[in-house]
Amino acid sequence: MITVAIVGYGYWGKNLVRNFFNHSECVLHTVVDGDAAKLTPLQKQFPTVKTSTRYEDVLQNSSINAVVIATPVHSHYALAKAALLAGKHVLVEKPMTSTLREAEELIELALQRNLVIMPDHTFLYTGAVQKMKSMIDADEIGKIKYLDSTRINLGLFQSDVNVLWDLAPHDISICNYLVNKKPYSIQATGISHTGNDIENIAYLTMNFESDLIAHFNCSWTSPVKIRQMLIGGEKKMILFNDMEPTEKIKVYDTGYSVKSDDDKTRMLVDYRTGDIYVPKLPLHEALYAMATDFILAIRDGKKPVSNDLLGLEVVRILEASQQSIKQGGKEVKL
């Protein structure tokens, strides 16, 4: 059995505690949080789980095999590095680190010590994303031409990262997982309405060597909450609406073809509109599936869906987007 400690008992930490506690392949040993008051209700709900306000208690406990980090982004690197140096496998919340250099160092350190470091991109384990991946791999929608994502709401303003670092990792990781290609450049624009130079609205475009283009719209200041992604293929198109309780994916048998007339002076476009259908999605909790993937990576050496290199690419894109925003939307090569 793999023995796990969780660091950080905030909103997401509570979900992680529930899933790792209920997992049959591991034992949740300790939960750490700097605020002792947060740990009091945990002790009542999970009396077999130890609690502590000191991270050192976890690092010094040789019976703990793995550490799950659910703390603010700026703390990920130091906490993960300390765990790896202590010989423990690491699962860290997204994004993996706040700089590309930090992510590269952690991956190299884990490789040297034969340890797992894995970012928690939970959306990759949802039934919707898994279904879209299987459809794309089976060539049901054809070559992907575009991906257009909107993730906006009247949300919690962060004090350490901008809206792209907060919201875009979900959709960047989904894009990279589905298309299995790396962009060659990015462009980003954004604005801060709070006077602290932290953008609360931002737009990111990823350019690929092929004719694929991906666009991401993120905002903390929308009056409505939208979690939507459009994926356009040569054969079919997919609408992924995460706000839908049941019909999260709709597949449109819709497309177009382009040709020139006889004298090559005009472009002729033929449109095709077919059926719309809603595929059945597998029913499971994504966070439990992610926890299982982490455990299997430790126990069996299985490469996780949300693996270290995918996490690295997300950080690379986010860091480049920050550079682009501060340079007025300048294209940044990756």
Side-chain angles (χ1 to χ4, degrees):
M1 296 289 281
I2 293 167
T3 306
V4 176
I6 294 177
V7 183
Y9 194 59
Y11 167 75
W12 198 244
K14 291 180 174 66
N15 293 323
L16 289 163
V17 165
R18 174 174 53 80
N19 277 275
F20 277 97
F21 180 83
N22 291 325
H23 207 289
S24 60
E25 299 294 327
C26 72
V27 174
L28 180 57
H29 186 283
T30 302
V31 176
V32 177
D33 197 283
D35 185 352
K38 289 183 180 179
L39 299 172
T40 302
L42 181 146
Q43 293 169 328
K44 295 178 180 178
Q45 187 176 0
F46 305 100
T48 61
V49 178
K50 299 181 184 299
T51 60
S52 176
T53 58
R54 289 169 27 92
Y55 187 41
E56 294 79 6
D57 293 342
V58 169
L59 299 177
Q60 294 167 7
N61 191 328
S62 59
S63 67
I64 295 175
N65 311 117
V67 174
V68 179
I69 298 169
T71 59
V73 178
H74 65 82
S75 65
H76 288 180
Y77 167 73
L79 294 174
K81 183 176 181 179
L84 292 171
L85 290 173
K88 304 183 189 303
H89 304 280
V90 173
L91 173 69
V92 60
E93 271 313 300
K94 57 81 191 166
M96 190 158 61
T97 57
S98 55
T99 71
L100 181 61
R101 182 194 60 78
E102 291 174 347
E104 291 172 335
E105 183 180 337
L106 292 181
I107 290 172
E108 180 63 26
L109 183 59
L111 184 64
Q112 291 172 357
R113 294 175 174 255
N114 197 28
L115 295 167
V116 172
I117 182 163
M118 172 178 162
D120 176 13
H121 290 288
T122 304
F123 263 96
L124 303 186
Y125 298 89
T126 61
V129 173
Q130 287 295 309
K131 182 63 177 179
M132 290 191 293
K133 178 65 171 174
S134 67
M135 292 178 65
I136 291 168
D137 288 349
D139 197 33
E140 290 184 36
I141 71 167
K143 181 182 177 183
I144 299 176
K145 294 293 190 179
Y146 71 86
L147 187 147
D148 198 311
S149 170
T150 301
R151 187 173 292 269
I152 60 176
N153 58 273
L154 194 60
L156 178 64
F157 282 66
Q158 304 294 324
S159 59
D160 58 338
V161 293
N162 71 13
V163 69
L164 285 180
W165 281 86
D166 181 40
L167 298 182
H170 295 302
D171 302 302
I172 295 171
S173 65
I174 292 172
C175 176
N176 287 1
Y177 177 58
L178 293 181
V179 306
N180 198 27
K181 295 178 181 179
K182 295 180 182 179
Y184 73 86
S185 73
I186 66 95
Q187 293 166 278
T189 57
I191 193 166
S192 171
H193 296 109
T194 53
N196 60 357
D197 206 32
I198 295 177
E199 293 79 18
N200 53 278
I201 298 176
Y203 307 94
L204 167 64
T205 300
M206 290 164 44
N207 305 302
F208 294 80
E209 294 290 353
S210 63
D211 57 358
L212 168 66
I213 189 168
H215 181 260
F216 307 88
N217 169 13
C218 296
S219 173
W220 290 323
T221 58
S222 167
V224 293
K225 184 174 183 178
I226 299 175
R227 301 284 186 267
Q228 185 169 285
M229 180 179 288
L230 289 166
I231 302 170
E234 286 183 328
K235 298 179 183 177
K236 299 177 183 178
M237 302 181 185
I238 298 174
L239 170 62
F240 169 35
N241 186 350
D242 195 48
M243 299 302 295
E244 282 282 346
T246 54
E247 299 182 352
K248 291 185 180 293
I249 291 179
K250 292 181 180 178
V251 181
Y252 291 74
D253 189 6
T254 302
Y256 65 92
S257 59
V258 180
K259 58 184 179 180
S260 300
D261 64 1
D262 293 337
D263 61 5
K264 310 297 184 183
T265 60
R266 291 187 306 161
M267 181 178 67
L268 304 177
V269 181
D270 289 332
Y271 299 95
R272 176 180 53 80
T273 302
D275 295 332
I276 302 172
Y277 69 95
V278 179
K280 183 179 179 180
L281 303 181
L283 298 176
H284 62 260
E285 183 169 359
L287 194 52
Y288 189 89
M290 184 280 303
T292 301
D293 214 18
F294 180 51
I295 292 166
L296 292 178
I298 296 170
R299 193 187 68 190
D300 303 334
K302 174 181 176 290
K303 182 181 179 180
V305 170
S306 179
N307 56 74
D308 53 357
L309 297 182
L310 184 144
L312 178 74
E313 287 306 309
V314 171
V315 174
R316 187 191 310 276
I317 290 165
L318 290 171
E319 187 173 89
S321 74
Q322 188 75 15
Q323 297 171 10
S324 180
I325 286 175
K326 298 308 181 185
Q327 298 178 58
K330 181 181 177 181
E331 182 180 18
V332 176
K333 297 292 178 65
L334 299 175

